[in-house]
Amino acid sequence: MKTRTKLFAMLFALLTIFTASASNSKKSRVQNVLYWAAWVKNNKYTTYRDYARELNYDTIDAPHDEKEDFSPVFMYYTKKENLYCTEVFLDGIKDRLLAMMQLEGSGKFPHLRIFRFNSKTKKWSIYFSADGSRGECGLVYPIQNPITGQTFFLEELRNFDNKRLVAYKLLSLKNKEWINGSTAEAQYIYNLRDEESEWISPDIIERMAAFDYSFMGIEDDHPSLIERETGNIKIVAKLYHTSVARMTSNFSITVFENEKEILKMPEVIWGFNIVEKDGKPYLVYIGMGRPMNMHSSASAMEDFMLNVLDLSTLEHVFRSYIKPEIIFDVRE
């Protein structure tokens, strides 16, 4: 019954796609893309563990450096970092195909490979490869069209700096080239309360998310070291980069008084500012709002905890959890 229900849901969605294309309605096209984004989240994919016996180091016909992930040394990590491994069906190819998505490094960069089976040699070759750390793909999820039997893809694009959702795209793959379909672009809107606006603004939030500290008078892009003094207090902030692709991630901040370290901030800090209020200096910073994400450098700068630290007493005087409204529009 569940299978039949899912099939009818997919048929209905595909009918909606065709209707939207005919009507050329922006709203309908956005709803189409978001439907498939929700579908992907609500459906489970098979993973590499399901195919490890038939797709492995001995059955892949490729140089060692292209299949090293499947060696006994790395097999544990391959299984652990696998998002999915599932069969796909591409136009013009009758051979069996397996699409496999790995998440690499602390930045969780996607690496897509599609393997093609040769029935004569009984070996798999790498038909297609795309590396997210080089900007060749985002998170790409295959979806089988129940009418044609062919596979199309939902791509989840995220900003390199802050891992925010940029857009969802519907794609097809033909002759090893991506063909773009509809795109629903995301826009973040921060509706701050009055007490929050006393410490931060939507413009400063967006600059922090882009590691743009021109609001502090710093012209360098993605400054790796920021030092600021206010009275006898000195703030030293160092920018951390992930190991894969050198993605900027967060600041570590240390507070000094008269050149003596008095506080090392334990939080993962995405952005910060020094605000003067009533003649007193405050360290205003944003960071992860959920404790379970405190050690995840790949978390997106979407919702966050706004913190205000009184630099004269080293006490927090204000905290607020801020969540944006995300709206979508179709890219022309």
Side-chain angles (χ1 to χ4, degrees):
M1 182 64 69
K2 287 185 178 180
T3 302
R4 182 179 296 178
T5 301
K6 286 184 178 180
L7 178 60
F8 281 128
M10 293 178 73
L11 288 170
F12 176 78
L14 284 169
L15 179 61
T16 305
I17 287 176
F18 300 141
T19 304
S21 298
S23 65
N24 202 33
S25 163
K26 278 189 176 184
K27 184 177 180 180
S28 296
R29 280 183 286 162
V30 167
Q31 289 175 341
N32 266 335
V33 179
L34 296 184
Y35 171 88
W36 289 114
W39 187 92
V40 163
K41 291 179 180 179
N42 293 327
N43 283 269
K44 290 185 177 180
Y45 285 84
T46 52
T47 68
Y48 179 65
R49 293 179 185 275
D50 299 300
Y51 290 94
R53 288 188 177 182
E54 57 180 306
L55 181 69
N56 52 60
Y57 189 89
D58 294 326
T59 62
I60 297 173
D61 183 14
H64 171 75
D65 60 344
E66 294 183 23
K67 61 177 183 177
E68 189 177 15
D69 291 347
F70 299 91
S71 68
V73 175
F74 294 105
M75 182 57 71
Y76 168 80
Y77 299 101
T78 299
K79 290 180 178 180
K80 181 180 179 182
E81 301 301 327
N82 181 246
L83 184 63
Y84 63 76
C85 183
T86 188
E87 296 202 43
V88 294
F89 307 89
L90 301 182
D91 187 27
I93 299 180
K94 295 182 180 180
D95 296 330
R96 193 174 171 210
L97 298 168
L98 279 176
M100 181 169 167
M101 173 69 78
Q102 291 296 114
L103 301 178
E104 299 185 334
S106 54
K108 302 297 182 184
F109 291 100
H111 185 194
L112 172 70
R113 280 173 292 189
I114 298 179
F115 296 90
R116 182 175 184 173
F117 187 69
N118 186 319
S119 58
K120 292 182 179 179
T121 64
K122 306 299 181 184
K123 296 276 189 177
W124 295 89
S125 62
I126 300 175
Y127 170 76
F128 179 80
S129 180
D131 193 338
S133 65
R134 295 200 296 262
E136 295 170 350
C137 72
L139 280 175
V140 180
Y141 297 89
I143 304 168
Q144 187 178 2
N145 183 323
I147 296 177
T148 67
Q150 300 301 304
T151 298
F152 65 99
F153 299 83
L154 176 97
E155 182 177 30
E156 180 182 294
L157 290 173
R158 290 192 173 268
N159 183 281
F160 181 81
D161 279 330
N162 51 51
K163 303 298 285 182
R164 280 183 183 176
L165 176 66
V166 173
Y168 290 118
K169 300 174 69 174
L170 294 180
L171 307 172
S172 57
L173 186 66
K174 190 169 185 179
N175 298 323
K176 302 183 182 181
E177 296 287 339
W178 292 118
I179 300 174
N180 292 328
S182 298
T183 299
E185 290 188 327
Q187 181 182 356
Y188 288 74
I189 299 175
Y190 289 93
N191 298 305
L192 302 177
R193 304 195 310 269
D194 290 343
E195 57 268 35
E196 296 165 341
S197 298
E198 293 182 20
W199 303 106
I200 202 167
S201 68
D203 176 64
I204 295 295
I205 293 171
E206 294 306 317
R207 289 175 186 241
M208 287 180 178
F211 296 92
D212 170 10
Y213 280 80
S214 55
F215 61 87
M216 281 190 181
I218 300 173
E219 298 304 324
D220 294 342
D221 184 35
H222 294 65
S224 58
L225 178 66
I226 298 177
E227 297 183 354
R228 283 294 180 269
E229 295 186 17
T230 172
N232 58 353
I233 298 293
K234 183 179 181 180
I235 308 295
V236 178
K238 295 180 180 179
L239 186 60
Y240 169 79
H241 293 78
T242 63
S243 57
V244 177
R246 299 287 294 167
M247 181 190 77
T248 49
S249 179
N250 56 269
F251 285 99
S252 61
I253 293 182
T254 307
V255 182
F256 296 86
E257 183 177 25
N258 297 322
E259 301 301 324
K260 179 182 178 181
E261 180 181 318
I262 59 173
L263 178 66
K264 193 172 185 66
M265 304 294 291
E267 295 94 345
V268 173
I269 296 173
W270 287 335
F272 72 100
N273 193 13
I274 299 173
V275 175
E276 297 280 344
K277 186 177 180 182
D278 299 326
K280 295 174 62 177
Y282 296 86
L283 178 66
V284 177
Y285 63 95
I286 63 174
M288 298 180 186
R290 299 185 179 91
M292 76 269 300
N293 289 332
M294 288 298 289
H295 301 292
S296 173
S297 58
S299 295
M301 296 185 194
E302 296 174 341
D303 50 319
F304 57 84
M305 189 69 73
L306 172 66
N307 302 272
V308 180
L309 180 74
D310 186 337
L311 288 171
S312 62
T313 64
L314 300 183
E315 293 181 357
H316 282 91
V317 297
F318 184 78
R319 280 193 177 96
S320 181
Y321 179 65
I322 296 178
K323 187 176 179 65
E325 175 188 3
I326 305 176
I327 61 175
F328 291 88
D329 196 7
V330 170
R331 180 188 302 168
E332 296 295 345

